Each structure stands twice: as C-alpha cells, then as structure tokens.
Amino acid sequence: MEEMLLLKYGEIALKGLNKKSFEDVLVKNIKRRLRHIGSFEYTRAQSTLYIKPQGDEDIDVVLAKLTKVFGVTKICRAIICKKDFSDIVKCSLPYLKDTLDGAKTFKVEAKRADKSFCMTSPELQRELGAKILDEYSHLEVDVHEPQVTVTVEIREENAFVHAYKTDGAGGLPVGTSGRALLLLSGGIDSPVAGYMMAKRGVIVDAVHFEAPPYTSERARLKVEELAKIMSEYTGAVNFHCVPFTRIQEMIKEHCPEELFTIVMRRIMMEISQRIALSVGASCLVTGESIGQVASQTMLAMVCTDAVCKIPVFRPLIGMDKTEIVEVSRKIGTYDTSIEPYEDCCTVFTPRHPKTKPRLEEVEKAQAAFDFEPLINQAINDTKAYIISAN
Ligand code: ATP
Ligand code: MG
C-alpha cells in the first residue's frame, strides 16, 4: 500500500499574483521540516501540494510534522492506486475502513485531471459509491451533508483516493511577513505570543533576560526548552540571552521600589530594540495582556513604550488567561511553562508596584543612575545561538 499526502492551502490561495511567492516559501519550509525524515516528491496543482514519500517513510511521523507548518488548512492522507477502476476499488475499500466504520452517511466526489480516463466523474461517483455500499451496508448516501466525503482523483500518472482529513496549522508561511524579536520569558504567555506571530507568517527571533545567580542555569534551560517547542511551529529560533544581573541590582539600589518593575521593563525594551535593529527585526513582541499584572496596565505600557522607537506587538493583549492557557496546551508549551523556576522579573518584585505610573516620574526615577554603560555592556555580553527542534 502506497500512501501520499495532500496539503490544502489556506489564505495563500487568495493571494492573487503573489500566490506563487507565498507558495515557494511554504514549500521551502516544508522541505526543511521533512529533510531529516526521508525523501519526498513534491507536486503543486490547484492550491494543493502533493507530497509523495519515495521510500518507507513513516506517514504518521510526516503528518505530525506537517500539522505544525503554517500556511496549510487541511491535510488529507490518500492511497495511491493504478488508473484502473477495479484497482481503485480493490485498494480503497480496505483503506477507508476505519473512516467509514465510524460514519453513517457518505458521498463520493470524483475529480479528473486526466480527462481521457475511461469513466466520467458522475460515472466514477456512482460506481465507486455502489461498491462502497456493497461492502459497508450500514452506510447511506447523502450528497448534501455527508459525514464522510470520499474523494477519488484521477491524475496523469495514477489515481488516488482519500477520505481522511486532519486540520493543518492555518495561517501564513513563516517568512512571508518579516522578522520580529520576541521577549521570551519562562512563563505561559510569551511562547504563545511567539506562536501567534509566526502563525501570521512572521519569523520569530527571541531575546531572554537572565539574572544569575538570582536565576539558575535550570531556569535558562527551561526557556531554551520553550524556544525549542515553539520552533516546531516557528522554525529555528535565533536566541539571544542577555545577562541582566548588574542592571537589576542598580535599579534596586537607585530607583524607588514601587517603580522597579517599570524601569526594569523599559530597560529590557531598550536592550531588545537595539538587538532587534542589529539582527534586522522590525518590531518587538511580548506576551502581555492588558490588566493581567501591575506592569501590564495601560499606563504602565505607556511608560514602557515611551522608550521604543519600533512597534511593540502584543498579540495576547485582549485574551483572558484561560484562553492563553488553552493555546499553550495545544502547542505543547504549557507543561514546561509551569515548571517552577525563578524568572529575573520575579527576583526583585516590589511589594506594592505602582499600577498607574506617570511617565515623568518614571523617567525621573530612571535618570537617577546612568544605565547606558551597563546597557552597552549587557549587549556586548549577550550570547546568541540557534535553537531548533527540527
Ligand atoms: P509570561 O508568562 O510570558 O512570562 P507574565 O504574565 O509572567 O508573562 P511578565 O513577567 O510581566 O508577565 O512579563 C511580561 C512580558 O515581558 C512577557 O510576556 C515577556 O514577553 C516579557 N518578559 C518577561 N520576563 C522576561 C525575561 N526574563 N526575558 C525576556 N522577556 C521577558
Ligand atoms: Mg513572566
């Protein structure tokens, strides 16, 4: 039994004249994702990508990888048959067993790319439908709202039959919407924010601030693990790890306690945007959601954004924590995110952080110490490396 996969494009199909360039990026991403699994033949036709394994590649493994590639809405698993009605029947009846056993109604849809095939589409639909009814007597035909649609496609070289569809990751291919730098912590929110930007086609690099010895090596490994899980969707992540200890100590020493967090976040943004500019990223991304904690009130964000010359995207801004948790479970980051390791943000948390800071008072607090040399030092000492699960 030889199987292949059909990938249906989502929004790419609507891109008009730009469709080909989006499609090129998608195919490149898929090839990169599958390169360690085996070799495949790729064919494109009518907003569908056909992927045929060339050897004994495990289709389940391939499918699991492909459900994490943005730009694909549906993935169908199909059996390859000869272009001969009796072979189509012989191969497809057992192949469809699991799907048809669980259904009550079905219909057959035929598509003929090869118009010279000896049966017309209506004939194929009728005849294959009849064979299916013979074999699976519990079924009824419903042409309007069938539970299962069995599709038979007659192409140039062979025919194939499919009925099993699985959801793709949706979105746009990563690499079609520019590059962003994600502030990645060890929490639940920021990996979800990275996933959401990548879903819209953005290449996501990451910056992480650590404060050893207040934060442990284990805490950094946890964040690297999150980047790795995220990379199953985003592709390889350029990871920047910034030593932040000195800066945090100086904030603690020189700024009023109720403004620690806000000053710290402004300096994080300042460092992040300099890194962003140096790596060609045009915006920053955070996992903030309005009102979630003191540093995420609207006025606190006004104070943080005042240092930013490039846009800061916050894809979770209007989401509830329960909704964010749901996505984090879906993408597989949740269990790692809830591991209890300290984050640099939690090291010097003020007892009563100001929820409605005024920009002038924050600027004044920050001006009490010249952070510029330490900022430059931290950027110089930043370690950059690539993290990838693929
Ligand atoms: P998360 O679950 O993403 O950690 P959070 O609810 O804990 O978010 P904060 O700790 O206030 O919220 O952080 C808000 C955002 O700031 C994070 O979503 C992340 O984008 C960024 N951030 C926080 N700590 C760090 C860090 N140590 N390194 C990089 N970015 C960070
Ligand atoms: Mg956090």
Side-chain angles (χ1 to χ4, degrees), residues 291-327:
Q292 196 186 79
V293 288
S295 61
Q296 297 175 25
T297 62
M298 189 177 294
L299 291 178
M301 285 193 254
V302 167
C303 293
T304 2
D305 279 9
V307 299
C308 296
K309 296 179 195 71
I310 57 177
V312 182
F313 291 132
R314 299 177 166 94
L316 314 186
I317 197 73
M319 287 170 78
D320 289 352
K321 194 76 185 186
T322 48
E323 294 167 322
I324 300 170
V325 164
E326 203 177 300
V327 183

Side-chain angles (χ1 to χ4, degrees), residues 16-158:
L17 293 175
N18 288 329
K19 184 174 152 189
K20 179 159 184 317
S21 62
F22 279 80
E23 207 178 0
D24 289 345
V25 177
L26 175 65
V27 173
K28 201 173 83 199
N29 291 348
I30 289 175
K31 286 184 175 168
R32 199 180 297 128
R33 230 49 94 73
L34 297 184
R35 74 186 161 198
H36 298 306
I37 300 183
S39 80
F40 302 86
E41 181 190 282
Y42 297 86
T43 317
R44 309 179 197 184
Q46 286 135 14
S47 296
T48 307
L49 179 68
Y50 298 81
I51 303 185
K52 189 173 161 194
Q54 298 299 91
D56 56 357
E57 288 80 4
D58 184 339
I59 288 275
D60 289 316
V61 174
V62 177
L63 197 65
K65 289 266 179 202
L66 292 179
T67 52
K68 295 182 175 174
V69 176
F70 292 123
V72 175
T73 42
K74 289 278 177 210
I75 306 176
C76 310
R77 200 172 164 151
I79 185 158
I80 306 175
C81 326
K82 293 201 194 97
K83 267 167 59 172
D84 164 82
F85 184 68
S86 63
D87 194 63
I88 292 173
V89 174
K90 195 176 95 202
C91 297
S92 59
L93 289 188
Y95 182 67
L96 298 171
K97 185 173 185 339
D98 286 350
T99 315
L100 292 178
D101 274 349
K104 288 203 179 74
T105 59
F106 82 107
K107 77 168 177 184
V108 178
E109 202 172 85
K111 293 183 185 167
R112 291 190 318 159
D114 173 10
K115 301 289 182 202
S116 69
F117 187 67
C118 62
M119 294 166 86
T120 64
S121 295
E123 275 167 4
L124 253 177
Q125 286 168 190
R126 210 170 42 237
E127 300 289 323
L128 185 58
K131 295 287 184 195
I132 291 174
L133 282 173
D134 286 348
E135 179 85 10
Y136 299 96
S137 53
H138 70 283
L139 286 176
E140 278 177 33
V141 174
D142 179 346
V143 290
H144 301 295
E145 274 184 75
Q147 287 171 336
V148 173
T149 300
V150 174
T151 306
V152 50
E153 299 195 30
I154 310 290
R155 302 197 63 85
E156 299 305 328
E157 284 166 24
N158 33 37

Side-chain angles (χ1 to χ4, degrees), residues 182-191 207-210 265 268 285-288 292-293 295-296 321 343-345:
L182 166 71
L183 282 81
L184 182 65
S185 69
I188 295 170
D189 306 326
S190 41
V207 57
H208 175 68
F209 294 83
E210 63 169 358
R265 297 198 57 77
M268 274 186 172
V285 175
T286 76
E288 290 162 301
Q292 196 186 79
V293 288
S295 61
Q296 297 175 25
K321 194 76 185 186
D343 181 83
C344 75
C345 289

